[in-house]
Amino acid sequence: MNLYEKIKNKEEKISVIGLGYVGLPLAVSFAKVVDVIGFDIAKDKVDGYVKGIDVTKEVGNLALKETTISFTSNEKDLRKAKFHIVAVPTPINNDKTPNLNPVKGASKTLGKNLTRGSIVVYESTVYPGVTEDICVPILEQESGLKCGVDFKVGYSPERINPGDKVHRFETITKVVSGMDEESLNIIAGIYELVVQAGVYRADSIKVAEAAKVIENSQRDINIAFMNELSIIFNKLGIDTTSVLKAASTKWNFLNFTPGLVGGHCIGVDPYYLTYKAEEMGYHSQIILAGRKINDNMGKYVAENTVKLMIKANKQIKGSKVAVLGLTFKENCPDVRNTKVIDIIDELKEYGINIVVHDPQADKKEVFNVYGIELKEIVEIKDVDAVILAVPHEEYKELSLEDINALYNNNYTHINGNGDIDDKKVFIDIKGMFNRSETEKMDYLYWRL
């Protein structure tokens, strides 16, 4: 009886190391059919999960309360499992180089508690070679075991899309790889227990690592192209959304839109690939050009906000701007690497006071990470401009009258022609509202 059969029969356990936006849904899914140990070094997070509190909002409190996962922050509990899935973050440093500390730390912790006959599968996004060249030596050193003899490894890139209720862990084809045919068959079989969409067996671990890192790089480049078009069309006085609607009537036009590219995937993964390329003596041109455009979009939005405020005869220094939405994407509480913060920081450079609201983000986390005190929307009033930064579902319920209530409606200014100018500046980054309707209500409206 091999490891697959033992796990299927609940004679052996799976461990999931790292219980964030990727690891938690994965652990909950597996726990429906096999025995799962859910490990995370953050004791507070683990305690919350035990109580049925899902801070990620990926699976929901009810699913947590009903799950059979054995949650723990005690690394020795990993010794009870034989199939280990590592799903920790892989961020970048300030200089845009890969920060492999979380995956190295997880490998060290697991290595100390690794037993003979185990299989270790990494899901963290990395550049080709990390699993075999960096993680395996750590596992061997800490465990005293030999890879290929005492334990085996594989790689299966995560494809979870935070906040997406349609494309879930179970419904996305799972790319799997193993160091040899035996490990590949076991890894594929175990994932097939829960992944309804089936698995794709990659030719090697490096191929699977490369496939993951180019998925987000491709998306990043396409969005960068849209952002560059937005900059060009803005200079030409053409509405980008209208252009894209017209162009999308062609059957093979790719459906991408301009926007802020943050988070822990699309805004990060391309740097892993370009870092490895540099190591091999090749300087990326297209990938880094796309990254440069996307990294500067927050500043671009802020600059256009100030331009419109000047056009509306608003005094810039000491003015007040409301930012609606702080997370890196809509309908998700994750604020890691959000590009909305770039808008806020840039506006502060002009001496503008910023008030921020987000119905999805955790207030405590936002304050701890960014020093920003999130406001309730009813607390926001007398602002000179509104930036609708993230199109959360909650904001789709807002009417233009609701937006109007946020402004300083007593504000008037006599312009150079002797006319009263009380236009309200409204920056609708993703174009949630209808342009013509907003302009009829005397807004100065702008979107990417």
Side-chain angles (χ1 to χ4, degrees), residues 43-317:
K43 190 176 184 303
D44 289 349
K45 183 192 292 183
V46 170
D47 290 344
Y49 290 158
V50 170
K51 294 173 185 174
I53 302 170
D54 177 16
V55 292
T56 70
K57 298 183 181 179
E58 287 298 302
V59 299
N61 294 348
L62 181 61
L64 274 188
K65 289 171 183 174
E66 294 178 345
T67 188
T68 59
I69 297 170
S70 176
F71 289 109
T72 182
S73 56
N74 182 355
E75 65 179 62
K76 291 182 179 178
D77 287 332
L78 295 173
R79 298 173 186 178
K80 301 172 186 175
K82 274 287 196 288
F83 190 91
H84 305 276
I85 300 173
V86 180
V88 296
T90 42
I92 53 173
N93 298 307
N94 291 333
D95 62 356
K96 311 296 187 185
T97 57
N99 178 356
L100 293 174
N101 289 334
V103 78
K104 287 179 179 177
S107 299
K108 191 172 183 179
T109 298
L110 177 55
K112 291 176 186 175
N113 301 283
L114 197 61
T115 58
R116 279 184 174 81
S118 295
I119 290 181
V120 181
V121 179
Y122 288 87
E123 287 217 3
S124 306
T125 302
V126 292
Y127 55 79
V130 168
T131 300
E132 294 157 297
D133 302 339
I134 294 177
C135 297
V136 166
I138 295 173
L139 291 172
E140 289 182 326
Q141 182 179 345
E142 295 297 329
S143 66
L145 302 176
K146 182 69 176 173
C147 185
V149 178
D150 302 312
F151 71 93
K152 294 188 176 182
V153 297
Y155 182 80
S156 180
E158 61 87 4
R159 281 176 160 176
I160 287 175
N161 186 24
D164 190 334
K165 303 305 179 188
V166 177
H167 302 99
R168 310 301 298 149
F169 168 65
E170 299 88 351
T171 62
I172 304 170
T173 301
K174 197 82 171 81
V175 173
V176 297
S177 64
M179 64 182 296
D180 55 23
E181 189 174 352
E182 181 193 31
S183 58
L184 175 59
N185 287 334
I186 293 172
I187 292 166
I190 288 174
Y191 275 107
E192 282 174 335
L193 290 172
V194 290
V195 181
Q196 300 156 13
V199 302
Y200 175 86
R201 300 179 184 215
D203 291 343
S204 69
I205 288 175
K206 285 187 175 69
V207 166
E209 290 170 325
K212 168 58 183 175
V213 83
I214 70 163
E215 287 173 17
N216 285 331
S217 296
Q218 182 191 62
R219 187 164 178 80
D220 190 47
I221 291 166
N222 277 294
I223 297 173
F225 175 50
M226 294 296 117
N227 280 333
E228 187 166 60
L229 290 179
S230 175
I231 293 169
I232 293 169
F233 293 145
N234 185 35
K235 289 183 177 295
L236 293 172
I238 303 172
D239 183 65
T240 307
T241 301
S242 299
V243 175
L244 295 179
K245 280 182 180 178
S248 65
T249 57
K250 189 166 186 274
W251 76 93
N252 60 354
F253 186 80
L254 300 180
N255 186 27
F256 287 92
T257 56
L260 302 175
V261 184
H264 52 92
C265 291
I266 301 177
V268 171
D269 295 354
Y271 287 120
Y272 274 72
L273 186 56
T274 57
Y275 172 84
K276 189 61 179 178
E278 291 278 358
E279 270 195 346
M280 305 307 293
Y282 179 77
H283 180 73
S284 164
Q285 298 177 66
I286 292 176
I287 299 171
L288 285 180
R291 275 281 78 230
K292 185 177 181 181
I293 290 171
N294 287 341
D295 274 345
N296 286 329
M297 290 309 289
K299 183 178 180 182
Y300 175 72
V301 171
E303 288 173 348
N304 277 278
T305 301
V306 171
K307 286 178 182 177
L308 255 69
M309 290 175 70
I310 292 171
K311 188 175 180 181
N313 290 304
K314 310 289 185 185
Q315 181 176 315
I316 302 303
K317 187 175 182 180

